[in-house]
PDB file of all heavy atoms in Angstrom:
ATOM      1  N   ILE E   7     128.905  77.549  59.550  1.00 97.00           N
ATOM      2  CA  ILE E   7     127.869  77.838  58.572  1.00 97.00           C
ATOM      3  C   ILE E   7     126.498  77.771  59.263  1.00 97.00           C
ATOM      4  O   ILE E   7     126.088  76.757  59.951  1.00 97.00           O
ATOM      5  CB  ILE E   7     127.870  76.742  57.515  1.00 97.00           C
ATOM      6  CG1 ILE E   7     129.197  76.854  56.755  1.00 97.00           C
ATOM      7  CG2 ILE E   7     126.805  76.909  56.437  1.00 97.00           C
ATOM      8  CD1 ILE E   7     130.286  75.788  57.188  1.00 97.00           C
ATOM      9  N   LEU E   8     125.679  78.737  59.043  1.00 98.00           N
ATOM     10  CA  LEU E   8     124.364  78.869  59.559  1.00 98.00           C
ATOM     11  C   LEU E   8     123.308  78.812  58.332  1.00 98.00           C
ATOM     12  O   LEU E   8     123.311  79.817  57.548  1.00 98.00           O
ATOM     13  CB  LEU E   8     124.206  80.085  60.466  1.00 98.00           C
ATOM     14  CG  LEU E   8     125.184  80.267  61.645  1.00 98.00           C
ATOM     15  CD1 LEU E   8     124.696  81.529  62.423  1.00 98.00           C
ATOM     16  CD2 LEU E   8     124.960  78.990  62.563  1.00 98.00           C
ATOM     17  N   ASP E   9     122.603  77.869  58.247  1.00 97.00           N
ATOM     18  CA  ASP E   9     121.869  77.593  56.944  1.00 97.00           C
ATOM     19  C   ASP E   9     120.413  77.936  57.169  1.00 97.00           C
ATOM     20  O   ASP E   9     119.698  77.231  58.019  1.00 97.00           O
ATOM     21  CB  ASP E   9     121.963  76.143  56.524  1.00 97.00           C
ATOM     22  CG  ASP E   9     121.344  75.823  55.225  1.00 97.00           C
ATOM     23  OD1 ASP E   9     121.304  76.838  54.332  1.00 97.00           O
ATOM     24  OD2 ASP E   9     120.914  74.702  54.936  1.00 97.00           O
ATOM     25  N   GLY E  10     119.736  78.818  56.562  1.00 95.00           N
ATOM     26  CA  GLY E  10     118.374  79.163  56.487  1.00 95.00           C
ATOM     27  C   GLY E  10     117.958  80.154  57.424  1.00 95.00           C
ATOM     28  O   GLY E  10     116.979  79.930  58.277  1.00 95.00           O
ATOM     29  N   LEU E  11     118.555  81.299  57.458  1.00 96.00           N
ATOM     30  CA  LEU E  11     118.230  82.404  58.268  1.00 96.00           C
ATOM     31  C   LEU E  11     116.792  82.926  58.129  1.00 96.00           C
ATOM     32  O   LEU E  11     116.278  83.460  59.128  1.00 96.00           O
ATOM     33  CB  LEU E  11     119.266  83.631  58.076  1.00 96.00           C
ATOM     34  CG  LEU E  11     119.074  84.836  59.028  1.00 96.00           C
ATOM     35  CD1 LEU E  11     119.450  84.446  60.411  1.00 96.00           C
ATOM     36  CD2 LEU E  11     120.060  85.995  58.513  1.00 96.00           C
ATOM     37  N   GLU E  12     116.205  82.644  57.033  1.00 94.00           N
ATOM     38  CA  GLU E  12     114.892  83.226  56.642  1.00 94.00           C
ATOM     39  C   GLU E  12     113.842  82.545  57.723  1.00 94.00           C
ATOM     40  O   GLU E  12     112.785  83.192  57.923  1.00 94.00           O
ATOM     41  CB  GLU E  12     114.401  82.885  55.366  1.00 94.00           C
ATOM     42  CG  GLU E  12     114.137  81.454  54.915  1.00 94.00           C
ATOM     43  CD  GLU E  12     115.338  80.708  54.618  1.00 94.00           C
ATOM     44  OE1 GLU E  12     116.398  81.296  54.538  1.00 94.00           O
ATOM     45  OE2 GLU E  12     115.206  79.513  54.346  1.00 94.00           O
ATOM     46  N   ASN E  13     114.197  81.419  58.258  1.00 94.00           N
ATOM     47  CA  ASN E  13     113.194  80.792  59.243  1.00 94.00           C
ATOM     48  C   ASN E  13     113.037  81.590  60.453  1.00 94.00           C
ATOM     49  O   ASN E  13     112.074  81.316  61.122  1.00 94.00           O
ATOM     50  CB  ASN E  13     113.807  79.446  59.623  1.00 94.00           C
ATOM     51  CG  ASN E  13     113.759  78.454  58.491  1.00 94.00           C
ATOM     52  OD1 ASN E  13     112.761  77.937  58.027  1.00 94.00           O
ATOM     53  ND2 ASN E  13     114.910  78.117  57.830  1.00 94.00           N
ATOM     54  N   LEU E  14     113.900  82.584  60.669  1.00 96.00           N
ATOM     55  CA  LEU E  14     113.794  83.348  61.878  1.00 96.00           C
ATOM     56  C   LEU E  14     112.998  84.821  61.680  1.00 96.00           C
ATOM     57  O   LEU E  14     112.972  85.490  62.600  1.00 96.00           O
ATOM     58  CB  LEU E  14     115.101  83.729  62.511  1.00 96.00           C
ATOM     59  CG  LEU E  14     116.116  82.515  62.698  1.00 96.00           C
ATOM     60  CD1 LEU E  14     117.426  82.867  63.308  1.00 96.00           C
ATOM     61  CD2 LEU E  14     115.442  81.438  63.568  1.00 96.00           C
ATOM     62  N   MET E  15     112.638  85.045  60.506  1.00 95.00           N
ATOM     63  CA  MET E  15     112.206  86.323  59.941  1.00 95.00           C
ATOM     64  C   MET E  15     110.667  86.404  60.253  1.00 95.00           C
ATOM     65  O   MET E  15     109.769  85.379  60.166  1.00 95.00           O
ATOM     66  CB  MET E  15     112.427  86.593  58.512  1.00 95.00           C
ATOM     67  CG  MET E  15     113.901  86.593  58.236  1.00 95.00           C
ATOM     68  SD  MET E  15     114.833  88.003  59.057  1.00 95.00           S
ATOM     69  CE  MET E  15     116.429  87.651  58.481  1.00 95.00           C
ATOM     70  N   THR E  16     110.150  87.639  60.445  1.00 93.00           N
ATOM     71  CA  THR E  16     108.767  87.767  60.461  1.00 93.00           C
ATOM     72  C   THR E  16     108.004  87.783  59.199  1.00 93.00           C
ATOM     73  O   THR E  16     108.319  88.492  58.264  1.00 93.00           O
ATOM     74  CB  THR E  16     108.449  89.192  61.228  1.00 93.00           C
ATOM     75  OG1 THR E  16     109.187  89.361  62.236  1.00 93.00           O
ATOM     76  CG2 THR E  16     107.142  89.446  61.518  1.00 93.00           C
ATOM     77  N   PRO E  17     106.955  86.924  59.166  1.00 91.00           N
ATOM     78  CA  PRO E  17     106.154  86.898  57.884  1.00 91.00           C
ATOM     79  C   PRO E  17     105.035  88.002  57.918  1.00 91.00           C
ATOM     80  O   PRO E  17     104.743  88.611  58.994  1.00 91.00           O
ATOM     81  CB  PRO E  17     105.396  85.516  57.982  1.00 91.00           C
ATOM     82  CG  PRO E  17     105.262  85.231  59.535  1.00 91.00           C
ATOM     83  CD  PRO E  17     106.578  85.873  60.157  1.00 91.00           C
ATOM     84  N   GLY E  18     104.771  88.464  56.720  1.00 91.00           N
ATOM     85  CA  GLY E  18     103.725  89.457  56.659  1.00 91.00           C
ATOM     86  C   GLY E  18     104.277  90.941  56.794  1.00 91.00           C
ATOM     87  O   GLY E  18     103.450  91.869  56.790  1.00 91.00           O
ATOM     88  N   GLU E  19     105.603  91.056  56.751  1.00 92.00           N
ATOM     89  CA  GLU E  19     106.212  92.427  56.936  1.00 92.00           C
ATOM     90  C   GLU E  19     107.294  92.455  56.005  1.00 92.00           C
ATOM     91  O   GLU E  19     107.616  91.477  55.231  1.00 92.00           O
ATOM     92  CB  GLU E  19     106.791  92.625  58.311  1.00 92.00           C
ATOM     93  CG  GLU E  19     105.620  92.684  59.404  1.00 92.00           C
ATOM     94  CD  GLU E  19     106.160  93.213  60.684  1.00 92.00           C
ATOM     95  OE1 GLU E  19     107.166  93.978  60.703  1.00 92.00           O
ATOM     96  OE2 GLU E  19     105.596  92.902  61.715  1.00 92.00           O
ATOM     97  N   LEU E  20     107.898  93.658  55.717  1.00 93.00           N
ATOM     98  CA  LEU E  20     109.009  93.802  54.801  1.00 93.00           C
ATOM     99  C   LEU E  20     110.150  92.984  55.172  1.00 93.00           C
ATOM    100  O   LEU E  20     110.362  92.624  56.463  1.00 93.00           O
ATOM    101  CB  LEU E  20     109.412  95.278  54.695  1.00 93.00           C
ATOM    102  CG  LEU E  20     108.327  96.250  54.197  1.00 93.00           C
ATOM    103  CD1 LEU E  20     108.939  97.750  54.247  1.00 93.00           C
ATOM    104  CD2 LEU E  20     107.838  95.948  52.846  1.00 93.00           C
ATOM    105  N   ALA E  21     110.974  92.654  54.224  1.00 93.00           N
ATOM    106  CA  ALA E  21     111.980  91.721  54.391  1.00 93.00           C
ATOM    107  C   ALA E  21     113.053  91.994  55.523  1.00 93.00           C
ATOM    108  O   ALA E  21     113.258  93.260  55.644  1.00 93.00           O
ATOM    109  CB  ALA E  21     112.801  91.432  53.145  1.00 93.00           C
ATOM    110  N   GLY E  22     113.531  91.107  56.167  1.00 92.00           N
ATOM    111  CA  GLY E  22     114.764  91.404  57.113  1.00 92.00           C
ATOM    112  C   GLY E  22     114.476  91.657  58.540  1.00 92.00           C
ATOM    113  O   GLY E  22     115.378  91.860  59.301  1.00 92.00           O
ATOM    114  N   LYS E  23     113.104  91.463  59.001  1.00 94.00           N
ATOM    115  CA  LYS E  23     112.864  91.746  60.441  1.00 94.00           C
ATOM    116  C   LYS E  23     112.652  90.434  61.193  1.00 94.00           C
ATOM    117  O   LYS E  23     111.998  89.663  60.672  1.00 94.00           O
ATOM    118  CB  LYS E  23     111.542  92.590  60.460  1.00 94.00           C
ATOM    119  CG  LYS E  23     111.184  93.046  61.964  1.00 94.00           C
ATOM    120  CD  LYS E  23     109.943  93.711  61.975  1.00 94.00           C
ATOM    121  CE  LYS E  23     109.489  94.069  63.441  1.00 94.00           C
ATOM    122  NZ  LYS E  23     108.250  94.891  63.488  1.00 94.00           N
ATOM    123  N   TYR E  24     113.416  90.382  62.113  1.00 96.00           N
ATOM    124  CA  TYR E  24     113.302  89.082  62.989  1.00 96.00           C
ATOM    125  C   TYR E  24     111.995  89.071  63.845  1.00 96.00           C
ATOM    126  O   TYR E  24     111.440  89.984  64.244  1.00 96.00           O
ATOM    127  CB  TYR E  24     114.444  88.954  64.003  1.00 96.00           C
ATOM    128  CG  TYR E  24     115.839  88.851  63.316  1.00 96.00           C
ATOM    129  CD1 TYR E  24     116.680  89.812  63.361  1.00 96.00           C
ATOM    130  CD2 TYR E  24     116.209  87.675  62.735  1.00 96.00           C
ATOM    131  CE1 TYR E  24     117.998  89.812  62.639  1.00 96.00           C
ATOM    132  CE2 TYR E  24     117.365  87.465  62.076  1.00 96.00           C
ATOM    133  CZ  TYR E  24     118.313  88.565  62.036  1.00 96.00           C
ATOM    134  OH  TYR E  24     119.501  88.392  61.436  1.00 96.00           O
ATOM    135  N   ARG E  25     111.515  87.782  63.917  1.00 95.00           N
ATOM    136  CA  ARG E  25     110.458  87.563  64.871  1.00 95.00           C
ATOM    137  C   ARG E  25     110.777  87.904  66.260  1.00 95.00           C
ATOM    138  O   ARG E  25     112.030  88.007  66.556  1.00 95.00           O
ATOM    139  CB  ARG E  25     110.011  86.031  64.711  1.00 95.00           C
ATOM    140  CG  ARG E  25     109.389  85.703  63.471  1.00 95.00           C
ATOM    141  CD  ARG E  25     109.589  84.354  62.961  1.00 95.00           C
ATOM    142  NE  ARG E  25     109.113  83.442  63.990  1.00 95.00           N
ATOM    143  CZ  ARG E  25     109.240  81.935  63.959  1.00 95.00           C
ATOM    144  NH1 ARG E  25     109.878  81.565  62.801  1.00 95.00           N
ATOM    145  NH2 ARG E  25     108.824  81.258  64.757  1.00 95.00           N
ATOM    146  N   GLU E  26     109.824  88.190  67.018  1.00 94.00           N
ATOM    147  CA  GLU E  26     110.188  88.763  68.413  1.00 94.00           C
ATOM    148  C   GLU E  26     111.057  87.943  69.258  1.00 94.00           C
ATOM    149  O   GLU E  26     111.934  88.464  69.864  1.00 94.00           O
ATOM    150  CB  GLU E  26     108.715  88.907  69.154  1.00 94.00           C
ATOM    151  CG  GLU E  26     109.003  89.568  70.505  1.00 94.00           C
ATOM    152  CD  GLU E  26     107.665  89.832  71.223  1.00 94.00           C
ATOM    153  OE1 GLU E  26     106.447  89.595  70.506  1.00 94.00           O
ATOM    154  OE2 GLU E  26     107.665  90.360  72.394  1.00 94.00           O
ATOM    155  N   ALA E  27     110.918  86.639  69.111  1.00 94.00           N
ATOM    156  CA  ALA E  27     111.809  85.797  69.913  1.00 94.00           C
ATOM    157  C   ALA E  27     113.265  85.733  69.430  1.00 94.00           C
ATOM    158  O   ALA E  27     114.105  85.185  70.063  1.00 94.00           O
ATOM    159  CB  ALA E  27     111.272  84.390  70.063  1.00 94.00           C
ATOM    160  N   TYR E  28     113.464  86.282  68.315  1.00 96.00           N
ATOM    161  CA  TYR E  28     114.754  86.033  67.528  1.00 96.00           C
ATOM    162  C   TYR E  28     115.514  87.402  67.376  1.00 96.00           C
ATOM    163  O   TYR E  28     116.421  87.397  66.576  1.00 96.00           O
ATOM    164  CB  TYR E  28     114.637  85.222  66.415  1.00 96.00           C
ATOM    165  CG  TYR E  28     113.984  83.959  66.507  1.00 96.00           C
ATOM    166  CD1 TYR E  28     112.592  83.830  66.300  1.00 96.00           C
ATOM    167  CD2 TYR E  28     114.575  82.876  67.136  1.00 96.00           C
ATOM    168  CE1 TYR E  28     111.925  82.510  66.500  1.00 96.00           C
ATOM    169  CE2 TYR E  28     113.998  81.671  67.451  1.00 96.00           C
ATOM    170  CZ  TYR E  28     112.550  81.523  67.120  1.00 96.00           C
ATOM    171  OH  TYR E  28     112.032  80.382  67.411  1.00 96.00           O
ATOM    172  N   GLN E  29     115.062  88.482  67.966  1.00 95.00           N
ATOM    173  CA  GLN E  29     115.679  89.738  67.718  1.00 95.00           C
ATOM    174  C   GLN E  29     117.103  89.848  68.188  1.00 95.00           C
ATOM    175  O   GLN E  29     117.820  90.701  67.642  1.00 95.00           O
ATOM    176  CB  GLN E  29     114.868  90.881  68.224  1.00 95.00           C
ATOM    177  CG  GLN E  29     113.496  90.985  67.595  1.00 95.00           C
ATOM    178  CD  GLN E  29     112.565  92.041  68.143  1.00 95.00           C
ATOM    179  OE1 GLN E  29     112.966  92.751  69.076  1.00 95.00           O
ATOM    180  NE2 GLN E  29     111.260  92.038  67.830  1.00 95.00           N
ATOM    181  N   ASP E  30     117.475  89.013  69.063  1.00 95.00           N
ATOM    182  CA  ASP E  30     118.862  89.036  69.523  1.00 95.00           C
ATOM    183  C   ASP E  30     119.891  88.541  68.335  1.00 95.00           C
ATOM    184  O   ASP E  30     121.125  88.877  68.545  1.00 95.00           O
ATOM    185  CB  ASP E  30     119.075  88.054  70.748  1.00 95.00           C
ATOM    186  CG  ASP E  30     118.512  88.601  72.067  1.00 95.00           C
ATOM    187  OD1 ASP E  30     118.189  89.828  71.984  1.00 95.00           O
ATOM    188  OD2 ASP E  30     118.339  87.888  72.993  1.00 95.00           O
ATOM    189  N   TYR E  31     119.402  88.022  67.370  1.00 97.00           N
ATOM    190  CA  TYR E  31     120.329  87.654  66.174  1.00 97.00           C
ATOM    191  C   TYR E  31     120.857  88.840  65.611  1.00 97.00           C
ATOM    192  O   TYR E  31     122.072  88.874  65.028  1.00 97.00           O
ATOM    193  CB  TYR E  31     119.531  86.967  65.176  1.00 97.00           C
ATOM    194  CG  TYR E  31     119.481  85.456  65.452  1.00 97.00           C
ATOM    195  CD1 TYR E  31     118.502  84.884  66.141  1.00 97.00           C
ATOM    196  CD2 TYR E  31     120.505  84.548  64.964  1.00 97.00           C
ATOM    197  CE1 TYR E  31     118.512  83.533  66.466  1.00 97.00           C
ATOM    198  CE2 TYR E  31     120.358  83.291  65.085  1.00 97.00           C
ATOM    199  CZ  TYR E  31     119.505  82.702  66.079  1.00 97.00           C
ATOM    200  OH  TYR E  31     119.428  81.354  66.196  1.00 97.00           O
ATOM    201  N   ALA E  32     120.297  90.077  65.593  1.00 96.00           N
ATOM    202  CA  ALA E  32     120.731  91.248  65.112  1.00 96.00           C
ATOM    203  C   ALA E  32     122.106  91.680  65.780  1.00 96.00           C
ATOM    204  O   ALA E  32     123.087  91.963  65.152  1.00 96.00           O
ATOM    205  CB  ALA E  32     119.748  92.373  65.073  1.00 96.00           C
ATOM    206  N   LEU E  33     121.985  91.593  67.136  1.00 95.00           N
ATOM    207  CA  LEU E  33     123.184  91.866  67.955  1.00 95.00           C
ATOM    208  C   LEU E  33     124.260  90.824  67.779  1.00 95.00           C
ATOM    209  O   LEU E  33     125.374  91.191  67.639  1.00 95.00           O
ATOM    210  CB  LEU E  33     122.734  91.922  69.409  1.00 95.00           C
ATOM    211  CG  LEU E  33     124.072  92.078  70.437  1.00 95.00           C
ATOM    212  CD1 LEU E  33     124.632  93.378  70.154  1.00 95.00           C
ATOM    213  CD2 LEU E  33     123.590  92.094  71.899  1.00 95.00           C
ATOM    214  N   LEU E  34     123.781  89.573  67.635  1.00 96.00           N
ATOM    215  CA  LEU E  34     124.812  88.429  67.371  1.00 96.00           C
ATOM    216  C   LEU E  34     125.605  88.724  66.091  1.00 96.00           C
ATOM    217  O   LEU E  34     126.836  88.734  66.105  1.00 96.00           O
ATOM    218  CB  LEU E  34     124.101  87.190  67.170  1.00 96.00           C
ATOM    219  CG  LEU E  34     124.886  85.867  66.946  1.00 96.00           C
ATOM    220  CD1 LEU E  34     126.131  85.629  67.868  1.00 96.00           C
ATOM    221  CD2 LEU E  34     124.176  84.776  66.636  1.00 96.00           C
ATOM    222  N   PHE E  35     124.912  89.042  64.956  1.00 97.00           N
ATOM    223  CA  PHE E  35     125.616  89.297  63.739  1.00 97.00           C
ATOM    224  C   PHE E  35     126.397  90.516  63.629  1.00 97.00           C
ATOM    225  O   PHE E  35     127.503  90.581  63.061  1.00 97.00           O
ATOM    226  CB  PHE E  35     124.604  89.077  62.568  1.00 97.00           C
ATOM    227  CG  PHE E  35     124.055  87.783  62.400  1.00 97.00           C
ATOM    228  CD1 PHE E  35     122.639  87.525  62.259  1.00 97.00           C
ATOM    229  CD2 PHE E  35     124.834  86.662  62.445  1.00 97.00           C
ATOM    230  CE1 PHE E  35     122.157  86.368  62.022  1.00 97.00           C
ATOM    231  CE2 PHE E  35     124.340  85.390  62.312  1.00 97.00           C
ATOM    232  CZ  PHE E  35     122.977  85.270  62.051  1.00 97.00           C
ATOM    233  N   LYS E  36     125.859  91.605  64.341  1.00 96.00           N
ATOM    234  CA  LYS E  36     126.710  92.893  64.518  1.00 96.00           C
ATOM    235  C   LYS E  36     127.989  92.536  65.187  1.00 96.00           C
ATOM    236  O   LYS E  36     128.937  93.003  64.916  1.00 96.00           O
ATOM    237  CB  LYS E  36     125.752  93.893  65.132  1.00 96.00           C
ATOM    238  CG  LYS E  36     126.520  95.194  65.242  1.00 96.00           C
ATOM    239  CD  LYS E  36     125.670  96.246  65.932  1.00 96.00           C
ATOM    240  CE  LYS E  36     126.269  97.651  66.131  1.00 96.00           C
ATOM    241  NZ  LYS E  36     125.441  98.671  66.738  1.00 96.00           N
ATOM    242  N   THR E  37     127.843  91.815  66.283  1.00 96.00           N
ATOM    243  CA  THR E  37     129.037  91.602  67.001  1.00 96.00           C
ATOM    244  C   THR E  37     130.073  90.829  66.293  1.00 96.00           C
ATOM    245  O   THR E  37     131.190  90.979  66.225  1.00 96.00           O
ATOM    246  CB  THR E  37     128.629  90.819  68.341  1.00 96.00           C
ATOM    247  OG1 THR E  37     127.886  91.606  69.079  1.00 96.00           O
ATOM    248  CG2 THR E  37     129.927  90.536  69.207  1.00 96.00           C
ATOM    249  N   ILE E  38     129.716  89.696  65.661  1.00 96.00           N
ATOM    250  CA  ILE E  38     130.515  88.833  64.853  1.00 96.00           C
ATOM    251  C   ILE E  38     131.236  89.669  63.673  1.00 96.00           C
ATOM    252  O   ILE E  38     132.321  89.458  63.314  1.00 96.00           O
ATOM    253  CB  ILE E  38     129.732  87.728  64.243  1.00 96.00           C
ATOM    254  CG1 ILE E  38     129.256  86.745  65.259  1.00 96.00           C
ATOM    255  CG2 ILE E  38     130.596  86.917  63.055  1.00 96.00           C
ATOM    256  CD1 ILE E  38     128.371  85.584  64.952  1.00 96.00           C
ATOM    257  N   GLY E  39     130.404  90.566  63.049  1.00 96.00           N
ATOM    258  CA  GLY E  39     130.882  91.323  61.945  1.00 96.00           C
ATOM    259  C   GLY E  39     131.763  92.478  62.299  1.00 96.00           C
ATOM    260  O   GLY E  39     132.637  92.842  61.454  1.00 96.00           O
ATOM    261  N   THR E  40     131.769  93.041  63.514  1.00 95.00           N
ATOM    262  CA  THR E  40     132.488  94.231  63.896  1.00 95.00           C
ATOM    263  C   THR E  40     133.492  94.025  64.914  1.00 95.00           C
ATOM    264  O   THR E  40     134.375  94.838  65.035  1.00 95.00           O
ATOM    265  CB  THR E  40     131.550  95.218  64.350  1.00 95.00           C
ATOM    266  OG1 THR E  40     130.714  94.876  65.520  1.00 95.00           O
ATOM    267  CG2 THR E  40     130.464  95.748  63.222  1.00 95.00           C
ATOM    268  N   THR E  41     133.506  92.823  65.699  1.00 95.00           N
ATOM    269  CA  THR E  41     134.427  92.510  66.674  1.00 95.00           C
ATOM    270  C   THR E  41     135.620  91.792  65.963  1.00 95.00           C
ATOM    271  O   THR E  41     135.398  90.787  65.294  1.00 95.00           O
ATOM    272  CB  THR E  41     133.800  91.650  67.855  1.00 95.00           C
ATOM    273  OG1 THR E  41     132.724  92.446  68.430  1.00 95.00           O
ATOM    274  CG2 THR E  41     134.933  91.422  68.802  1.00 95.00           C
ATOM    275  N   LYS E  42     136.833  92.256  66.240  1.00 95.00           N
ATOM    276  CA  LYS E  42     138.010  91.502  65.626  1.00 95.00           C
ATOM    277  C   LYS E  42     138.162  90.079  66.103  1.00 95.00           C
ATOM    278  O   LYS E  42     138.348  89.783  67.200  1.00 95.00           O
ATOM    279  CB  LYS E  42     139.286  92.440  65.799  1.00 95.00           C
ATOM    280  CG  LYS E  42     140.484  91.864  65.089  1.00 95.00           C
ATOM    281  CD  LYS E  42     141.678  92.781  65.224  1.00 95.00           C
ATOM    282  CE  LYS E  42     142.937  92.396  64.550  1.00 95.00           C
ATOM    283  NZ  LYS E  42     142.674  92.243  63.169  1.00 95.00           N
ATOM    284  N   HIS E  43     138.228  89.227  65.044  1.00 96.00           N
ATOM    285  CA  HIS E  43     138.442  87.766  65.375  1.00 96.00           C
ATOM    286  C   HIS E  43     139.090  87.129  64.069  1.00 96.00           C
ATOM    287  O   HIS E  43     139.115  87.796  63.029  1.00 96.00           O
ATOM    288  CB  HIS E  43     137.274  87.081  65.926  1.00 96.00           C
ATOM    289  CG  HIS E  43     136.108  87.057  64.985  1.00 96.00           C
ATOM    290  ND1 HIS E  43     135.943  86.202  63.896  1.00 96.00           N
ATOM    291  CD2 HIS E  43     134.990  87.857  64.913  1.00 96.00           C
ATOM    292  CE1 HIS E  43     134.806  86.489  63.175  1.00 96.00           C
ATOM    293  NE2 HIS E  43     134.140  87.565  63.871  1.00 96.00           N
TER     294      HIS E  43
END
């Protein structure tokens, strides 16, 4: 369980964009969602 993903998002922009230091989360979740496990 990962609680509070919004803490990594960029303020002042449209929803769902990660702050610069946390953009690797997009790859992390894509891998978790699409790789068989």
Side-chain angles (χ1 to χ4, degrees):
I7 300 96
L8 301 178
D9 187 29
L11 183 63
E12 72 278 358
N13 291 289
L14 311 179
M15 301 295 180
T16 303
E19 297 193 24
L20 297 180
K23 181 179 179 181
Y24 295 106
R25 289 151 56 187
E26 185 173 353
Y28 306 101
Q29 293 177 8
D30 288 346
Y31 273 87
L33 176 60
L34 172 65
F35 292 136
K36 182 179 179 181
T37 303
I38 289 169
T40 59
T41 302
K42 187 174 179 58
H43 57 81

